[in-house]
mmCIF file with all atom_site columns, all heavy atoms in Angstrom:
data_model
loop_
_atom_site.group_PDB
_atom_site.id
_atom_site.type_symbol
_atom_site.label_atom_id
_atom_site.label_alt_id
_atom_site.label_comp_id
_atom_site.label_asym_id
_atom_site.label_entity_id
_atom_site.label_seq_id
_atom_site.pdbx_PDB_ins_code
_atom_site.Cartn_x
_atom_site.Cartn_y
_atom_site.Cartn_z
_atom_site.occupancy
_atom_site.B_iso_or_equiv
_atom_site.pdbx_formal_charge
_atom_site.auth_seq_id
_atom_site.auth_comp_id
_atom_site.auth_asym_id
_atom_site.auth_atom_id
_atom_site.pdbx_PDB_model_num
ATOM 1  N N   . GLY C 1 38 ? 16.830 -29.510 12.437 1.00 82.00 ? 38 GLY C N   1
ATOM 2  C CA  . GLY C 1 38 ? 16.258 -28.409 11.675 1.00 82.00 ? 38 GLY C CA  1
ATOM 3  C C   . GLY C 1 38 ? 16.804 -28.308 10.266 1.00 82.00 ? 38 GLY C C   1
ATOM 4  O O   . GLY C 1 38 ? 17.189 -29.302 9.647  1.00 82.00 ? 38 GLY C O   1
ATOM 5  N N   . GLY C 1 39 ? 16.845 -27.085 9.748  1.00 83.00 ? 39 GLY C N   1
ATOM 6  C CA  . GLY C 1 39 ? 17.318 -26.855 8.388  1.00 83.00 ? 39 GLY C CA  1
ATOM 7  C C   . GLY C 1 39 ? 18.774 -27.244 8.200  1.00 83.00 ? 39 GLY C C   1
ATOM 8  O O   . GLY C 1 39 ? 19.160 -27.770 7.155  1.00 83.00 ? 39 GLY C O   1
ATOM 9  N N   . ALA C 1 40 ? 19.603 -27.008 9.224  1.00 82.00 ? 40 ALA C N   1
ATOM 10 C CA  . ALA C 1 40 ? 21.014 -27.380 9.127  1.00 82.00 ? 40 ALA C CA  1
ATOM 11 C C   . ALA C 1 40 ? 21.166 -28.900 9.111  1.00 82.00 ? 40 ALA C C   1
ATOM 12 O O   . ALA C 1 40 ? 22.012 -29.441 8.401  1.00 82.00 ? 40 ALA C O   1
ATOM 13 C CB  . ALA C 1 40 ? 21.797 -26.783 10.286 1.00 82.00 ? 40 ALA C CB  1
ATOM 14 N N   . GLY C 1 41 ? 20.339 -29.598 9.884  1.00 83.00 ? 41 GLY C N   1
ATOM 15 C CA  . GLY C 1 41 ? 20.378 -31.066 9.879  1.00 83.00 ? 41 GLY C CA  1
ATOM 16 C C   . GLY C 1 41 ? 19.945 -31.622 8.537  1.00 83.00 ? 41 GLY C C   1
ATOM 17 O O   . GLY C 1 41 ? 20.516 -32.606 8.051  1.00 83.00 ? 41 GLY C O   1
ATOM 18 N N   . LEU C 1 42 ? 18.928 -31.013 7.926  1.00 86.00 ? 42 LEU C N   1
ATOM 19 C CA  . LEU C 1 42 ? 18.477 -31.443 6.606  1.00 86.00 ? 42 LEU C CA  1
ATOM 20 C C   . LEU C 1 42 ? 19.558 -31.194 5.561  1.00 86.00 ? 42 LEU C C   1
ATOM 21 O O   . LEU C 1 42 ? 19.804 -32.026 4.694  1.00 86.00 ? 42 LEU C O   1
ATOM 22 C CB  . LEU C 1 42 ? 17.186 -30.722 6.221  1.00 86.00 ? 42 LEU C CB  1
ATOM 23 C CG  . LEU C 1 42 ? 16.591 -31.083 4.862  1.00 86.00 ? 42 LEU C CG  1
ATOM 24 C CD1 . LEU C 1 42 ? 16.286 -32.567 4.778  1.00 86.00 ? 42 LEU C CD1 1
ATOM 25 C CD2 . LEU C 1 42 ? 15.341 -30.264 4.607  1.00 86.00 ? 42 LEU C CD2 1
ATOM 26 N N   . ALA C 1 43 ? 20.248 -30.054 5.656  1.00 85.00 ? 43 ALA C N   1
ATOM 27 C CA  . ALA C 1 43 ? 21.345 -29.768 4.721  1.00 85.00 ? 43 ALA C CA  1
ATOM 28 C C   . ALA C 1 43 ? 22.476 -30.780 4.888  1.00 85.00 ? 43 ALA C C   1
ATOM 29 O O   . ALA C 1 43 ? 23.036 -31.263 3.903  1.00 85.00 ? 43 ALA C O   1
ATOM 30 C CB  . ALA C 1 43 ? 21.857 -28.351 4.944  1.00 85.00 ? 43 ALA C CB  1
ATOM 31 N N   . ALA C 1 44 ? 22.795 -31.136 6.124  1.00 83.00 ? 44 ALA C N   1
ATOM 32 C CA  . ALA C 1 44 ? 23.841 -32.136 6.369  1.00 83.00 ? 44 ALA C CA  1
ATOM 33 C C   . ALA C 1 44 ? 23.406 -33.498 5.842  1.00 83.00 ? 44 ALA C C   1
ATOM 34 O O   . ALA C 1 44 ? 24.212 -34.239 5.273  1.00 83.00 ? 44 ALA C O   1
ATOM 35 C CB  . ALA C 1 44 ? 24.151 -32.206 7.859  1.00 83.00 ? 44 ALA C CB  1
ATOM 36 N N   . HIS C 1 45 ? 22.132 -33.841 6.015  1.00 85.00 ? 45 HIS C N   1
ATOM 37 C CA  . HIS C 1 45 ? 21.592 -35.107 5.500  1.00 85.00 ? 45 HIS C CA  1
ATOM 38 C C   . HIS C 1 45 ? 21.712 -35.155 3.977  1.00 85.00 ? 45 HIS C C   1
ATOM 39 O O   . HIS C 1 45 ? 22.147 -36.158 3.418  1.00 85.00 ? 45 HIS C O   1
ATOM 40 C CB  . HIS C 1 45 ? 20.131 -35.253 5.934  1.00 85.00 ? 45 HIS C CB  1
ATOM 41 C CG  . HIS C 1 45 ? 19.394 -36.341 5.231  1.00 85.00 ? 45 HIS C CG  1
ATOM 42 N ND1 . HIS C 1 45 ? 19.516 -37.660 5.593  1.00 85.00 ? 45 HIS C ND1 1
ATOM 43 C CD2 . HIS C 1 45 ? 18.527 -36.308 4.185  1.00 85.00 ? 45 HIS C CD2 1
ATOM 44 C CE1 . HIS C 1 45 ? 18.754 -38.402 4.786  1.00 85.00 ? 45 HIS C CE1 1
ATOM 45 N NE2 . HIS C 1 45 ? 18.141 -37.597 3.937  1.00 85.00 ? 45 HIS C NE2 1
ATOM 46 N N   . ARG C 1 46 ? 21.354 -34.068 3.321  1.00 84.00 ? 46 ARG C N   1
ATOM 47 C CA  . ARG C 1 46 ? 21.434 -34.036 1.851  1.00 84.00 ? 46 ARG C CA  1
ATOM 48 C C   . ARG C 1 46 ? 22.873 -34.119 1.356  1.00 84.00 ? 46 ARG C C   1
ATOM 49 O O   . ARG C 1 46 ? 23.143 -34.718 0.325  1.00 84.00 ? 46 ARG C O   1
ATOM 50 C CB  . ARG C 1 46 ? 20.763 -32.776 1.324  1.00 84.00 ? 46 ARG C CB  1
ATOM 51 C CG  . ARG C 1 46 ? 19.264 -32.868 1.417  1.00 84.00 ? 46 ARG C CG  1
ATOM 52 C CD  . ARG C 1 46 ? 18.606 -31.705 0.753  1.00 84.00 ? 46 ARG C CD  1
ATOM 53 N NE  . ARG C 1 46 ? 17.175 -31.927 0.689  1.00 84.00 ? 46 ARG C NE  1
ATOM 54 C CZ  . ARG C 1 46 ? 16.308 -30.984 0.460  1.00 84.00 ? 46 ARG C CZ  1
ATOM 55 N NH1 . ARG C 1 46 ? 16.700 -29.752 0.244  1.00 84.00 ? 46 ARG C NH1 1
ATOM 56 N NH2 . ARG C 1 46 ? 15.019 -31.260 0.423  1.00 84.00 ? 46 ARG C NH2 1
ATOM 57 N N   . ARG C 1 47 ? 23.812 -33.504 2.095  1.00 82.00 ? 47 ARG C N   1
ATOM 58 C CA  . ARG C 1 47 ? 25.226 -33.572 1.696  1.00 82.00 ? 47 ARG C CA  1
ATOM 59 C C   . ARG C 1 47 ? 25.775 -34.991 1.819  1.00 82.00 ? 47 ARG C C   1
ATOM 60 O O   . ARG C 1 47 ? 26.619 -35.399 1.030  1.00 82.00 ? 47 ARG C O   1
ATOM 61 C CB  . ARG C 1 47 ? 26.077 -32.654 2.577  1.00 82.00 ? 47 ARG C CB  1
ATOM 62 C CG  . ARG C 1 47 ? 26.107 -31.226 2.145  1.00 82.00 ? 47 ARG C CG  1
ATOM 63 C CD  . ARG C 1 47 ? 27.210 -30.451 2.840  1.00 82.00 ? 47 ARG C CD  1
ATOM 64 N NE  . ARG C 1 47 ? 27.284 -30.681 4.277  1.00 82.00 ? 47 ARG C NE  1
ATOM 65 C CZ  . ARG C 1 47 ? 26.618 -29.980 5.193  1.00 82.00 ? 47 ARG C CZ  1
ATOM 66 N NH1 . ARG C 1 47 ? 25.825 -29.007 4.820  1.00 82.00 ? 47 ARG C NH1 1
ATOM 67 N NH2 . ARG C 1 47 ? 26.741 -30.236 6.472  1.00 82.00 ? 47 ARG C NH2 1
ATOM 68 N N   . THR C 1 48 ? 25.315 -35.736 2.819  1.00 81.00 ? 48 THR C N   1
ATOM 69 C CA  . THR C 1 48 ? 25.876 -37.066 3.058  1.00 81.00 ? 48 THR C CA  1
ATOM 70 C C   . THR C 1 48 ? 25.084 -38.173 2.384  1.00 81.00 ? 48 THR C C   1
ATOM 71 O O   . THR C 1 48 ? 25.662 -39.083 1.806  1.00 81.00 ? 48 THR C O   1
ATOM 72 C CB  . THR C 1 48 ? 25.980 -37.347 4.565  1.00 81.00 ? 48 THR C CB  1
ATOM 73 O OG1 . THR C 1 48 ? 24.684 -37.200 5.160  1.00 81.00 ? 48 THR C OG1 1
ATOM 74 C CG2 . THR C 1 48 ? 26.938 -36.391 5.225  1.00 81.00 ? 48 THR C CG2 1
ATOM 75 N N   . VAL C 1 49 ? 23.754 -38.125 2.449  1.00 82.00 ? 49 VAL C N   1
ATOM 76 C CA  . VAL C 1 49 ? 22.930 -39.221 1.920  1.00 82.00 ? 49 VAL C CA  1
ATOM 77 C C   . VAL C 1 49 ? 22.611 -39.025 0.444  1.00 82.00 ? 49 VAL C C   1
ATOM 78 O O   . VAL C 1 49 ? 22.645 -39.968 -0.342 1.00 82.00 ? 49 VAL C O   1
ATOM 79 C CB  . VAL C 1 49 ? 21.635 -39.360 2.744  1.00 82.00 ? 49 VAL C CB  1
ATOM 80 C CG1 . VAL C 1 49 ? 20.726 -40.422 2.162  1.00 82.00 ? 49 VAL C CG1 1
ATOM 81 C CG2 . VAL C 1 49 ? 21.972 -39.684 4.188  1.00 82.00 ? 49 VAL C CG2 1
ATOM 82 N N   . HIS C 1 50 ? 22.318 -37.796 0.041  1.00 78.00 ? 50 HIS C N   1
ATOM 83 C CA  . HIS C 1 50 ? 21.915 -37.521 -1.336 1.00 78.00 ? 50 HIS C CA  1
ATOM 84 C C   . HIS C 1 50 ? 23.015 -36.797 -2.102 1.00 78.00 ? 50 HIS C C   1
ATOM 85 O O   . HIS C 1 50 ? 22.765 -35.804 -2.764 1.00 78.00 ? 50 HIS C O   1
ATOM 86 C CB  . HIS C 1 50 ? 20.628 -36.689 -1.352 1.00 78.00 ? 50 HIS C CB  1
ATOM 87 C CG  . HIS C 1 50 ? 19.492 -37.334 -0.639 1.00 78.00 ? 50 HIS C CG  1
ATOM 88 N ND1 . HIS C 1 50 ? 18.882 -38.477 -1.079 1.00 78.00 ? 50 HIS C ND1 1
ATOM 89 C CD2 . HIS C 1 50 ? 18.857 -36.998 0.514  1.00 78.00 ? 50 HIS C CD2 1
ATOM 90 C CE1 . HIS C 1 50 ? 17.917 -38.813 -0.246 1.00 78.00 ? 50 HIS C CE1 1
ATOM 91 N NE2 . HIS C 1 50 ? 17.883 -37.941 0.734  1.00 78.00 ? 50 HIS C NE2 1
#
Side-chain angles (χ1 to χ4, degrees):
L42 180 59
H45 167 80
R46 286 187 172 163
R47 276 194 314 271
T48 57
V49 176
H50 302 293

